[in-house]
Amino acid sequence: MTRVAIVGVGNMGRNHAHAVSDHPTLVLNSVVDVDADNAAEVAETYGANRSETDAEPAFERADAAIVATPSHAHLEPAEKALDAGLHLLLEKPVSRDIDAARTFANRCYKTDLVTGVSFILPTSPRTRPSGRRRATATLAMSWPAGRSARFRCPTPGRPVRATTRCST
Amino acid sequence: MSNSRKAGPGDHPLFYMNIHDVDALLSAVEERVDEVTGYERRGELTDIDIPDAHQVLLRFKDGTIATLEGYGVLPEEVPGDIAAEFELVGTDGTALVTLPSEEVELYADGYDRPDLHYWPVVNNRMDGAVRRQIGQFADAVAGKGEILAMITDGVRAQTVAETARRAIEGNRPISPDTV
């Protein structure tokens, strides 16, 4: 069983906690939040072993971390998770600062740990009908092919126009 | 609008909301973005220093053109909490994805189209895209598969979103190569 620590249990953190608690090979070991009452409530609701207000003791007893803190506070717990040798799922954006995000991506590229960003659209049959996904060259860095997987959308012929709209 | 306020001051909707759409665009077109421009409207959410709405125009290096729209001021009564569309027009046809879907419509005290896609709870269990993502993360950790969206994908999408933000604020087209 993989022990998971979730850092930040606002709306998305709660969704992650719920999904982790339902998964047959994952154990929701720790729930971490700056709000102790919130952490305790989420831990009780989803059956976590403990609640914390500090990520580091949670990371000592975990194999993987999900970081869902507010976006200005993503990188610090993410870096600490990798320091602790944990696999990582990080909410988007990687960091509010694009240069810091690139530096962190470089670190993730060099590790053998599983490191992912929480883009859920690729998991949906509506937006990802088949295939795996490849992160091709980013706009300022490049990685050799084979490091990632290929994503194919059912593009009808050669794309001419795309429109996307999101409202909340 | 409450979602916009929950995201918090300074959390630009290009990053907390539209970055998913940028990732979908990049994956669908499978080409790098050449240039980005756009406009925004500020008003209702000025107190937390984020725009109410933005529209972005992108040109890809292969000539594909795309629009990216984000609106953070829907009224609370809007069904489904998040309204999203993705349309692709190609030389051989079109593809359209609309969320929330119309598979379930509820008429009671009001009208609702419950979320069946992102994080629905079915028989007290998490379902939908979040459940699948956690499943894939678990498989990757166990060595049984690969994570679908890597940190590099996050940076790739964030670079385009950052380019859009700077293009809007600078009122001029910008290439992501300069960001």
Side-chain angles (χ1 to χ4, degrees):
Chain A
M1 299 291 281
T2 300
R3 300 168 300 165
V4 179
I6 297 182
V7 185
V9 283
N11 287 344
M12 276 313 298
R14 282 174 176 259
N15 289 331
H16 289 306
H18 194 163
V20 167
S21 70
D22 287 343
H23 195 279
T25 69
L26 300 177
V27 172
L28 183 58
N29 211 43
S30 303
V31 169
V32 185
D33 200 273
V34 293
D35 182 333
D37 291 339
N38 188 41
E41 187 266 323
V42 173
E44 181 176 347
T45 299
Y46 299 113
N49 290 332
R50 55 182 52 83
S51 64
E52 312 267 5
T53 56
D54 185 1
E56 289 190 63
F59 288 168
E60 290 172 3
R61 293 180 287 261
D63 307 301
I66 298 174
V67 174
T69 49
S71 62
H72 67 273
H74 277 181
L75 269 192
E76 184 180 341
E79 296 273 15
K80 287 180 178 175
L82 296 190
D83 291 342
L86 305 186
H87 305 287
L88 172 69
L89 181 63
L90 177 61
E91 270 293 333
K92 48 65 187 170
V94 173
S95 167
R96 280 194 183 181
D97 179 81
I98 187 64
D99 292 323
R102 287 168 176 153
T103 300
F104 185 69
N106 263 325
R107 180 182 181 184
C108 292
Y109 174 68
K110 294 173 185 171
T111 182
D112 291 328
L113 296 167
V114 173
T115 53
V117 68
S118 182
F119 282 158
I120 59 175
L121 290 184
T123 71
S124 170
R126 289 187 175 88
T127 53
R128 179 193 167 272
S130 64
R132 297 179 304 158
R133 176 196 188 104
R134 176 165 72 184
T136 55
T138 65
L139 300 167
M141 297 178 287
S142 63
W143 281 266
R147 177 66 183 179
S148 49
R150 188 73 180 171
F151 171 85
R152 290 197 180 275
C153 177
T155 305
R158 182 172 57 81
V160 174
R161 176 180 78 86
T163 300
T164 179
R165 177 184 307 121
C166 187
S167 308
T168 188
Chain B
M1 199 181 307
S2 62
N3 288 338
S4 299
R5 294 194 175 281
K6 279 181 198 172
D11 213 348
H12 199 292
L14 279 168
F15 300 102
Y16 85 73
M17 183 169 65
N18 280 128
I19 199 167
H20 293 284
D21 309 292
V22 171
D23 176 60
L25 273 176
L26 293 174
S27 296
V29 178
E30 295 185 318
E31 182 54 86
R32 290 170 54 159
V33 175
D34 187 37
E35 193 172 81
V36 182
T37 189
Y39 293 99
E40 68 178 19
R41 175 196 185 272
R42 288 183 179 251
E44 302 294 320
L45 299 170
T46 300
D47 58 312
I48 55 172
D49 193 27
I50 62 175
D52 299 344
H54 54 267
Q55 294 183 348
V56 176
L57 195 61
L58 306 97
R59 185 182 67 226
F60 289 76
K61 290 194 182 290
D62 67 350
T64 302
I65 54 175
T67 57
L68 175 74
E69 302 175 25
Y71 308 100
V73 289
L74 292 183
E76 299 308 311
E77 308 81 57
V78 166
D81 199 36
I82 298 174
E85 281 185 9
F86 187 95
E87 181 183 19
L88 206 57
V89 176
T91 52
D92 292 339
T94 67
L96 175 64
V97 178
T98 302
L99 298 164
S101 71
E102 297 176 344
E103 293 169 23
V104 176
E105 293 182 296
L106 301 177
Y107 298 87
D109 292 333
Y111 166 71
D112 194 19
R113 286 186 290 174
D115 169 39
L116 305 178
H117 171 71
Y118 298 109
W119 38 77
V121 175
V122 181
N123 295 324
N124 292 323
R125 296 181 66 85
M126 175 60 68
D127 204 87
V130 166
R131 181 186 65 78
R132 283 189 290 274
Q133 179 186 245
I134 292 298
Q136 283 161 359
F137 179 59
D139 285 347
V141 167
K144 296 177 182 176
E146 292 187 15
I147 197 84
L148 267 189
M150 299 169 64
I151 298 292
T152 50
D153 295 299
V155 172
R156 183 178 67 158
Q158 185 176 341
T159 300
V160 174
E162 177 66 23
T163 306
R165 186 187 67 80
R166 295 185 190 184
I168 290 169
E169 291 180 358
N171 196 28
R172 60 188 177 89
I174 292 179
S175 167
D177 295 341
T178 65
V179 171

